[in-house]
Amino acid sequence: MLEITTLFGGFALFLFGMNQMGKGLELLAGNKLQNILEKLTSNKFLGVLIGTIVTAITQSSSATTVMTVGFVNSKILTLKQAIYIIMGANIGTTVTGLILTLNVEAIAPIIAFIGMVMMLFMTRRKYKYSGTILFGFGVLFMGMNMMGEAVLPLANNPFLKGLLEKAGHPLLGIIIGAIFTAIIQSSSATTGVLITFANNGILPFSSAFFIVLGSNIGTCFTSILASLGASKNAKKVAVSHITFNIMGTIIFSIFAIIFPVISFIESWTPVVAQQIAFLHTVFNIVTTIILLPFTDLLEKIANNLIRGKDPRDVGFSLMYLNAQAYNDTISTIAGIRQETIRMFRYAKKNLLLSTSNLINHEDNRSAEIEFNEEVIDFLNTEIAKVNVKAMSNNLSREQYKQLSYYLKIISNIERLGDYSYNIYKLSVNMADNELNFSKEAKEEIQLMVDNLEIYFDDIEKSLMDNEFDMKKLRTLAIKISDIADKNREESLERLKSGKSIAEEELAYDKLYTYLMRLRDHLQNIQNQYSTIYQ
């Protein structure tokens, strides 16, 4: 019983260490990983290379796959580009297996201790994140050492020996590898466990062979989870990932059954742990080389399995207007009103996302913010086109007045989007320069944003109902202005008392310039829309 609890404890340390090491590497790289993926070209070899590099840095093909699903969901990447990245991710994840063959168990606690000291006492981000990497690295090998000590007494256990012998059967081995990896969501972790068993003489390479192949199917479970609730294109990424790994496993398994692949890899080194790591690497490189020319087929399979129009595609199309049918003025004005409200909602959403990035000092919604900004610009252009064409009809004075004011309203909404996007860029700039607002400043900003959100909500309701409570809206606009003035005074006091640095308060002042511009454009919309129906 003690061996089992030690095994689970060691496994928990191993997974925690792997997570911390990958997290530290990702934080140290900052926004560069995301920028690399976003600037991906359609070149398949570059795509595979980038997927490999990003995964080698994050130490997790799952992390790369989740990022890729997110980018496809936000239309930053195409499905084909995502397939290239996933192929590269499968290669990049093999770096972890190769690292695990290193013999550093004796110094692992020292490495973990050094990393912990850096994490706790270093103030500069790059040293703190480097400490996280060292801490994770040390804990990872400490966990492997614990697992090794736990499994050693189990070497002669009849049940375990029988199970491992059965794993040498291709189908059963693949199923075991797939299920285990799907549960822990990491093929690298599965490889690590197999290496631990091999280091202690419990697992022969012939039994580990097909478990390794199956682990590459099980790791697809993460991309499936990431695609739930996402766009159809994002779901296609998950399907492509599964298809690629299943096809690769089938091809490699057939090849291994026909040819002496196991004995060939065994001839490279007598160390079973290294044989497992080499297999993981060879499998992913070979399957990528074989299937890279067939990316069109993988894309076609995904498109056939996930059918129908993506609901998110309506972002770049008019839902309530036909750009060619503008002669019916009444229905055109009604459609313009609906599209204007839709555009307004995108602007509100971007304000909340960008300020959340700023307050929480994170940058995990940038793809969605970029997408929303593009939709706002698209809707501004398309609504204006229909509006101008409709103004060439024979119009009543009231209709002409409504169309004229709608042009002004969408122009103000477009400016709302611009200032929200400016806040997002400010948050990115602050993160790059290692600036962060104090707790007091964040609370002040949140109060301002909460009131702006109420202002957005009240105007949206007014747009929908065609009823404006001008007194309520003006009171709210004044309240927001008063909050801004008070908060700016608090900012100056913090600067005078030395509680904050000049760079942070300059960023704070710039933020409030953007927030007040948002208030001004909301007030313009309120006044313009109320004029239409006065």
Side-chain angles (χ1 to χ4, degrees):
M1 185 63 184
L2 180 61
E3 289 82 4
I4 298 296
T5 55
T6 305
L7 177 64
F8 281 118
F11 185 55
L13 276 179
F14 173 76
L15 289 181
F16 178 69
M18 182 176 289
N19 176 268
Q20 288 295 105
M21 187 168 66
K23 181 181 176 182
L25 285 162
E26 191 173 346
L27 288 170
L28 192 63
N31 298 324
K32 295 182 181 65
L33 296 179
Q34 185 169 304
N35 293 336
I36 288 172
L37 287 176
E38 288 183 13
K39 293 175 182 176
L40 177 73
T41 68
S42 58
N43 183 289
K44 64 175 66 178
F45 299 107
L46 181 60
V48 172
L49 178 62
I50 288 174
T52 302
I53 292 171
V54 171
T55 306
I57 291 173
T58 61
Q59 293 288 294
S60 172
S61 61
S62 298
T64 305
T65 304
V66 169
M67 274 195 285
T68 305
V69 169
F71 286 143
V72 172
N73 190 50
S74 299
K75 300 181 182 292
I76 301 295
L77 297 176
T78 65
L79 174 59
K80 188 169 289 186
Q81 289 173 322
I83 293 172
Y84 301 150
I85 294 174
I86 286 171
M87 288 180 169
N90 278 19
I91 297 174
T93 194
T94 63
V95 172
T96 307
L98 296 173
I99 291 173
L100 296 178
T101 61
L102 299 174
N103 187 18
V104 295
E105 284 87 353
I107 60 171
I110 299 171
I111 295 173
F113 179 76
I114 294 171
M116 182 190 70
V117 171
M118 292 175 68
M119 286 169 61
L120 293 176
F121 300 107
M122 294 291 183
T123 55
R124 292 183 64 87
R125 283 172 51 180
K126 63 180 180 180
Y127 296 127
K128 185 180 288 289
Y129 296 155
S130 297
T132 304
I133 296 167
L134 290 175
F135 176 74
F137 186 81
V139 171
L140 182 151
F141 279 97
M142 288 168 64
M144 284 190 69
N145 192 40
M146 277 184 66
M147 284 193 292
E149 292 176 358
V151 299
L152 196 57
L154 300 174
N156 297 317
N157 185 288
F159 175 76
L160 182 61
K161 288 179 69 175
L163 182 64
L164 293 177
E165 286 173 4
K166 290 178 181 177
H169 185 279
L171 183 59
L172 187 58
I174 290 170
I175 291 172
I176 291 172
I179 293 174
F180 184 74
T181 307
I183 293 171
I184 63 176
Q185 296 187 41
S186 173
S187 61
S188 297
T190 300
T191 304
V193 172
L194 296 176
I195 287 174
T196 302
F197 275 62
N199 282 333
N200 290 276
I202 296 175
L203 184 70
F205 180 60
S206 56
S207 296
F209 188 91
F210 291 102
I211 297 177
V212 171
L213 302 193
S215 71
N216 288 276
I217 297 175
T219 195
C220 299
F221 187 65
T222 306
S223 60
I224 295 172
L225 291 176
S227 69
L228 295 177
S231 67
K232 287 185 182 292
N233 281 334
K235 289 181 172 66
K236 290 175 184 177
V237 175
V239 169
S240 299
H241 191 196
I242 296 167
T243 306
F244 170 70
N245 282 7
I246 288 177
M247 289 174 67
T249 300
I250 292 172
I251 293 169
F252 206 86
S253 297
I254 293 172
F255 194 80
I257 292 170
I258 297 174
F259 299 100
V261 175
I262 294 177
S263 58
F264 177 65
I265 294 177
E266 285 176 331
S267 68
W268 295 0
T269 173
V271 181
V272 179
Q274 293 177 358
Q275 293 169 4
I276 293 170
F278 291 155
L279 167 63
H280 195 209
T281 303
V282 170
F283 168 79
N284 285 291
I285 291 175
V286 169
T287 53
T288 298
I289 292 172
I290 293 173
L291 294 175
L292 187 57
F294 300 100
T295 49
D296 288 339
L297 175 62
L298 292 171
E299 186 179 23
K300 186 176 181 180
I301 291 171
N303 286 328
N304 286 333
L305 290 175
I306 307 294
R307 293 178 176 273
K309 188 175 181 181
D310 196 325
R312 286 179 65 90
D313 288 342
V314 300
F316 292 100
S317 63
L318 295 172
M319 291 177 63
Y320 306 102
L321 282 171
N322 184 336
Q324 306 303 320
Y326 50 86
N327 292 321
D328 182 358
T329 305
I330 295 175
S331 62
T332 297
I333 291 176
I336 287 173
R337 174 170 163 268
Q338 290 299 108
E339 295 291 356
T340 300
I341 294 171
R342 182 169 157 237
M343 182 180 171
F344 185 80
R345 287 170 178 161
Y346 275 107
K348 172 191 166 186
K349 189 171 185 180
N350 255 14
L351 167 66
L352 299 179
L353 289 173
S354 60
T355 51
S356 176
N357 263 11
L358 187 74
I359 293 170
N360 298 319
H361 204 56
E362 60 190 13
D363 187 24
N364 58 3
R365 304 297 291 274
S366 59
E368 188 175 359
I369 292 171
E370 297 272 2
F371 173 75
N372 291 343
E373 174 63 11
E374 289 178 18
V375 173
I376 292 168
D377 291 341
F378 168 83
L379 290 174
N380 180 47
T381 301
E382 296 303 313
I383 295 170
K385 284 180 183 177
V386 176
N387 196 309
V388 170
K389 287 179 180 178
M391 291 177 79
S392 65
N393 297 338
N394 291 322
L395 305 174
S396 67
R397 182 179 177 181
E398 191 66 26
Q399 288 173 333
Y400 187 84
K401 180 180 175 182
Q402 288 181 36
L403 290 171
S404 298
Y405 276 107
Y406 272 120
L407 279 176
K408 295 178 182 178
I409 289 169
I410 61 172
S411 176
N412 275 280
I413 296 175
E414 194 272 335
R415 298 300 293 154
L416 289 174
D418 288 344
Y419 283 116
S420 294
Y421 190 70
N422 285 345
I423 294 172
Y424 159 67
K425 289 193 290 186
L426 177 64
S427 71
V428 173
N429 184 60
M430 288 186 67
D432 289 342
N433 290 284
E434 300 184 7
L435 298 174
N436 196 6
F437 291 129
S438 65
K439 180 183 177 183
E440 293 79 6
K442 288 179 180 179
E443 290 173 353
E444 292 165 4
I445 295 167
Q446 189 62 62
L447 177 63
M448 183 77 171
V449 172
D450 288 343
N451 279 275
L452 278 169
E453 184 180 2
I454 294 171
Y455 203 1
F456 263 95
D457 291 340
D458 286 352
I459 289 180
E460 182 183 333
K461 186 176 186 304
S462 300
L463 294 173
M464 294 171 65
D465 299 341
N466 290 337
E467 293 181 5
F468 276 73
D469 186 341
M470 294 302 294
K471 183 178 179 180
K472 178 184 177 183
L473 292 172
R474 285 176 184 140
T475 301
L476 186 55
I478 293 170
K479 179 182 178 183
I480 291 169
S481 182
D482 290 342
I483 292 171
D485 290 341
K486 182 176 182 298
N487 288 353
R488 276 176 156 160
E489 288 176 8
E490 293 291 337
S491 170
L492 287 174
E493 288 300 320
R494 281 193 296 273
L495 190 59
K496 288 177 183 178
S497 62
K499 292 182 179 179
S500 63
I501 59 175
E503 290 84 356
E504 289 174 357
E505 297 308 329
L506 284 172
Y508 187 91
D509 187 69
K510 182 179 286 188
L511 169 64
Y512 271 80
T513 299
Y514 297 150
L515 293 175
M516 284 304 295
R517 291 288 183 272
L518 283 161
R519 190 217 70 148
D520 293 343
H521 286 288
L522 286 170
Q523 200 166 29
N524 289 343
I525 294 169
Q526 156 197 322
N527 294 333
Q528 289 156 359
Y529 208 97
S530 63
T531 305
I532 296 174
Y533 294 98
Q534 67 181 6

